[in-house]
Amino acid sequence: MNNFKRNTRAVAASLLLALLAAPASALEAGKPAPAFDLAGPDGTVKLEKYAGKVVYVDFWASWCGPCRQSFPWMNEMQAKYGPQGLQIVGVNVDAKVEDARTFLAGTPARFAIGFDPAGATPRSYGVKGMPSSVLVGADGKVIFEHSGFKAADREELEAKIKAALGAKK
């Protein structure tokens, strides 16, 4: 492994450790999801903007391998369920927004993206690892949380989204 890769991984690991060491409030199903107001490539991203929609909030980082795998799935879910009231919101936690923009250039998002280089949003959501996601009901309340992403998760996550959209009506 060359020095650049070693240094990049060391920085990523230290950022994740700092994020994990920060005080975090655990989310509870049925409680209101914490509000956020973040700058994004297409303008401001606010949770309240999606009131009345089911929102899948995904926390990701440019250095996260499973995040790279989750983006095509989230694009598919946004296209498939967006017309029924789903909004996917990706919250990037990179310390440098440019790292996130580089990731997005190679792995495009067809859903809302917000940048949180200070890490306030993942702290308020109690995020413990990358990627992590939270499904928020149309009523603004937390339905469930999920950590990680692998192919085997897709079916269960889609079922949760469908159930939340069905309950919305």
Side-chain angles (χ1 to χ4, degrees):
M1 185 183 307
N2 67 33
N3 284 338
F4 176 77
K5 283 185 179 178
R6 189 175 300 118
N7 290 341
T8 300
R9 288 184 185 194
V11 168
S14 66
L15 287 172
L16 184 57
L17 286 174
L19 179 64
L20 297 177
S25 59
L27 291 182
E28 286 185 51
K31 299 286 185 186
F36 54 80
D37 184 345
L38 304 169
D42 298 321
T44 303
V45 178
K46 297 181 181 189
L47 182 61
E48 69 187 33
K49 176 182 174 183
Y50 306 113
K53 290 187 173 217
V54 171
V55 183
Y56 183 89
V57 182
D58 182 75
F59 294 91
W60 64 280
S62 63
W63 44 263
C64 165
C67 297
R68 203 169 299 282
Q69 296 171 11
S70 70
F71 268 57
W73 177 81
M74 288 189 291
N75 285 335
E76 179 186 337
M77 293 298 100
Q78 184 64 62
K80 188 173 182 179
Y81 297 110
Q84 296 174 41
L86 174 68
Q87 179 60 57
I88 295 181
V89 177
V91 177
N92 176 265
V93 302
D94 283 302
K96 294 181 185 173
V97 171
E98 194 51 45
D99 292 343
R101 290 185 188 278
T102 300
F103 175 97
L104 292 168
T107 309
R110 294 184 186 89
F111 47 86
I113 294 289
F115 302 123
D116 191 350
T121 309
R123 277 193 301 279
S124 71
Y125 276 75
V127 171
K128 300 276 188 255
M130 292 294 117
S132 286
S133 56
V134 176
L135 189 64
V136 179
D139 60 0
K141 295 180 181 174
V142 173
I143 296 173
F144 85 101
E145 298 176 76
H146 181 79
S147 293
F149 186 85
K150 55 189 180 298
D153 296 335
R154 294 171 187 229
E155 192 174 305
E156 177 190 353
L157 293 172
E158 184 172 359
K160 298 268 190 186
I161 288 169
K162 284 171 65 173
L165 289 168
K168 178 183 169 224
K169 295 176 181 172

